[in-house]
Amino acid sequence: MNRKDFLKKASIALATTAVLGPQIGKSAQGDLLQNSVHTLPNLPFATKALEPFIDTQTMEIHHGRHHKAYVDNLNKALATNPYLAKLSLDTLQARMAQAPAAIRNNGGGHFNHSLFWTLLSPKKQKATGSLVKEINKKFGSEDAFFEQFGKAGLSVFGSGWVWLNRDSAGELFISTTPNQDNPLMNFTEIKQGKPIIGLDVWEHAYYLKYQNLRAEYIKAFRNILNWQEAENRFRSA
Ligand code: MN3
């Protein structure tokens, strides 16, 4: 093969790799990728279980289509990023400043929604435990906390999330992030902390039932918040 033919073949091979990504399961690199393919978690309750606060159709679309698309697109984007593909979903969040936009958006989307489902409860739970004590200390009362949390959620222009986090000194703070960003991500514009409670304020999370009334949706969240899970996250933060 002369040099011209060789270059031609090499560029075809490169183009094929770029389109298909590394072959899964065929090399050491492939095995790692195979082990780190992200999957859509099952909802911990039936799609109708949060009625009347979140309607069945919203839950079906939110989990089965939106969240699934984040998972599928994350896996696609990671197929050409073997280093990031090796990281756990949590660790990946803290490396996002080094990741391309497709991984930031879809990796954030997968993390945020996986967390969000666990923070929802079909049964109204009483707020008890060390987290509530700390909330009372920090914000004055549970009502005062929800008022600040709700205001922050309303202040998100466009799509995003509102969070209650614990910083590295153990202090609680409320924050918001745009799009699918979250407080674990290492961007200078994001105040970092461990998310304890997170609420999706994208329109896809509430529009079918609440239309443009985001405030009503945020108010409803208090009835379906899984305090036990939030308490567990607070204790391990
Ligand atoms: Mn969502």
Side-chain angles (χ1 to χ4, degrees):
M1 182 174 7
N2 65 29
R3 184 177 148 79
K4 199 173 150 197
D5 278 350
F6 172 78
L7 285 176
K8 200 170 157 193
K9 279 208 171 133
S11 74
I12 287 169
L14 268 177
T16 308
T17 306
V19 170
L20 298 177
Q23 295 286 302
I24 288 174
K26 286 205 171 163
S27 62
Q29 192 181 66
D31 291 337
L32 281 171
L33 280 171
Q34 193 172 39
N35 291 335
S36 58
V37 166
H38 295 275
T39 54
L40 180 68
N42 289 325
L43 284 175
F45 41 74
T47 49
K48 64 173 187 211
L50 303 174
E51 297 265 13
F53 304 109
I54 299 181
D55 61 287
T56 306
Q57 195 185 10
T58 294
M59 284 308 298
E60 285 169 359
I61 296 171
H62 201 175
H63 174 260
R65 297 196 215 161
H66 289 278
H67 189 176
K68 184 177 187 299
Y70 295 126
V71 174
D72 292 346
N73 291 326
L74 172 63
N75 285 329
K76 251 181 244 168
L78 286 174
T80 49
N81 288 271
Y83 169 72
L84 294 175
K86 282 186 275 185
L87 305 178
S88 72
L89 188 58
D90 283 39
T91 308
L92 178 62
Q93 307 306 308
R95 305 280 192 282
M96 282 303 185
Q98 288 77 49
I103 294 180
R104 176 182 186 171
N105 293 335
N106 294 293
H110 180 30
F111 175 88
N112 294 349
H113 288 85
S114 299
L115 169 60
F116 186 45
W117 311 136
T118 68
L119 285 165
L120 300 174
S121 166
K123 276 197 181 150
K124 190 168 167 82
Q125 293 189 12
K126 243 199 161 163
T128 53
S130 56
L131 172 59
V132 176
K133 260 190 203 162
E134 191 61 27
I135 282 176
N136 289 336
K137 209 172 102 189
K138 183 83 190 177
F139 301 98
S141 68
E142 210 189 304
D143 286 345
F145 159 67
F146 275 108
E147 201 185 314
Q148 280 192 47
F149 186 81
K151 266 190 191 158
L154 278 177
S155 78
V156 175
F157 184 76
S159 301
W161 290 74
V162 54
W163 307 95
L164 174 69
N165 315 284
R166 198 170 196 191
D167 70 17
S168 53
E171 288 287 311
L172 291 177
F173 67 97
I174 291 170
S175 69
T176 64
T177 52
N179 306 315
Q180 294 297 353
D181 287 356
N182 63 59
L184 292 179
M185 291 184 180
N186 61 332
F187 294 97
T188 48
E189 70 271 22
I190 294 178
K191 183 176 177 188
Q192 281 192 283
K194 174 168 174 179
I196 308 297
I197 295 173
L199 178 62
D200 188 345
V201 294
W202 282 57
E203 281 187 345
H204 70 222
Y206 63 85
Y207 205 86
L208 289 179
K209 182 179 173 69
Y210 297 94
Q211 291 81 47
N212 61 328
L213 304 177
R214 189 191 284 179
E216 295 298 306
Y217 159 73
I218 292 175
K219 214 163 91 186
F221 177 58
R222 201 170 164 175
N223 296 290
I224 47 172
L225 173 57
N226 189 335
W227 277 107
Q228 188 54 57
E229 181 63 22
E231 168 77 10
N232 293 343
R233 295 187 61 80
F234 175 74
R235 281 168 180 265
S236 64

